[in-house]
Amino acid sequence: AQKITQTQPGMFVQEKEAVTLDCTYDTSDPSYGLFWYKQPSSGEMIFLIYQGSYDQQNATEGRYSLNFQKARKSANLVISASQLGDSAMYFCAMREGIYNQGGKLIFGQGTELSVKP
Amino acid sequence: AAGVIQSPRHLIKEKRETATLKCYPIPRHDTVYWYQQGPGQDPQFLISFYEKMQSDKGSIPDRFSAQQFSDYHSELNMSSLELGDSALYFCASSPRRSLAGAIYEQYFGPGTRLTVT
């Protein structure tokens, strides 16, 4: 069965520094996608970055990059140059069967990131 | 850019009442997903629709039903509400397949916060 694990309930980082949020996953499906979402205290879920299982290169989106290590089944999110506005809950999620329409996302438990000035 | 619209944003109901949540996907998105996020928890998948047909089903109680209409908007109907139904309910949408055939990110709406008293 598919599973997502985030082992860091809370993280602190100094403003302008980089931070890595850990995510490991388990699946037997060769076609899967890995996602990171940001959830501020206001509650909305903001899509950050996506990595497909067949993608050869690590995904990057501005200050966000995904360190994808397929053999280790890890998909860590790296945020460079942290900003105060990055303080939020971060969820790692996985979807199996990325070629099928309507597949669900399975989420990890989340990591609460606090950026210190 | 247009986003997923959910209404209402906040809803207060009493036990045993019914509630209807509405979701309007991003234009040209034909797949809709519903998730439930309890306090301090990760989002849990409820149900999804593709082209007005149910495509996947998660841990949705029998008291809940949902459908997708011809204009692709979706409604989640909840009956005999219980205290434990108090949660943030997200709707997400995703676009039709990319040229490569894979389905990518799900874009989440702002959520409906349901409080059952």
Side-chain angles (χ1 to χ4, degrees):
Chain A
Q2 56 177 326
K3 187 177 179 181
I4 291 281
T5 303
Q6 294 178 254
T7 57
Q8 306 154 313
M11 290 277 288
F12 289 92
V13 65
Q14 207 69 33
E15 194 179 8
K16 298 188 179 70
E17 290 186 350
V19 63
T20 297
L21 307 184
D22 295 341
C23 173
T24 58
Y25 61 93
D26 190 22
T27 179
S28 57
D29 189 335
S31 302
Y32 57 89
L34 296 156
F35 304 78
W36 277 93
Y37 286 87
K38 172 184 178 182
Q39 187 174 41
S41 57
S42 52
E44 69 264 36
M45 293 287 283
I46 303 166
F47 166 75
L48 295 178
I49 197 166
Y50 164 85
Q51 180 84 42
S53 59
Y54 297 121
D55 294 343
Q56 297 297 315
Q57 299 204 339
N58 287 344
T60 60
E61 288 287 348
R63 293 186 300 111
Y64 304 108
S65 61
L66 201 153
N67 185 1
F68 181 47
Q69 298 189 42
K70 196 170 181 177
R72 293 185 175 184
K73 292 191 174 180
S74 75
N76 299 338
L77 177 70
V78 180
I79 305 175
S80 63
S82 298
Q83 302 173 356
L84 295 178
D86 293 335
S87 294
M89 180 71 83
Y90 288 81
F91 287 101
C92 180
M94 178 174 66
R95 182 189 167 181
E96 293 179 332
I98 58 172
Y99 294 94
N100 301 324
Q101 203 81 27
K104 61 181 178 287
L105 287 175
I106 300 295
F107 288 84
Q109 307 92 319
T111 295
E112 181 82 45
L113 177 66
S114 298
V115 180
K116 293 182 174 181
Chain B
V4 177
I5 297 171
Q6 290 188 249
S7 67
R9 294 292 308 278
H10 301 271
L11 191 57
I12 300 175
K13 291 286 186 177
E14 294 188 355
K15 283 194 305 182
R16 293 179 287 278
E17 285 191 322
T18 61
T20 297
L21 309 185
K22 296 186 178 183
C23 168
Y24 297 87
I26 293 172
R28 291 183 296 281
H29 284 199
D30 55 6
T31 305
V32 168
Y33 313 77
W34 286 97
Y35 294 86
Q36 176 193 58
Q37 186 179 26
Q41 299 187 359
D42 55 284
Q44 296 292 315
F45 171 75
L46 294 177
I47 196 166
S48 63
F49 292 89
Y50 166 59
E51 285 291 344
K52 291 143 294 191
M53 299 285 289
Q54 179 183 308
S55 58
D56 201 356
K57 192 173 181 181
S59 50
I60 182 170
D62 292 340
R63 299 177 289 106
F64 294 7
S65 66
Q67 59 181 322
Q68 185 181 32
F69 295 85
S70 57
D71 63 351
Y72 296 107
H73 94 271
S74 178
E75 294 183 1
L76 178 65
N77 299 293
M78 311 159 73
S79 63
S80 302
L81 287 169
E82 302 173 357
L83 296 178
D85 295 329
S86 295
L88 189 54
Y89 289 84
F90 286 106
C91 172
S93 72
S94 65
R96 293 188 176 98
R97 298 170 191 271
S98 71
L99 290 176
I103 312 299
Y104 296 127
E105 60 273 13
Q106 295 181 16
Y107 292 93
F108 281 70
T112 293
R113 190 169 296 279
L114 172 66
T115 303
V116 181
T117 61

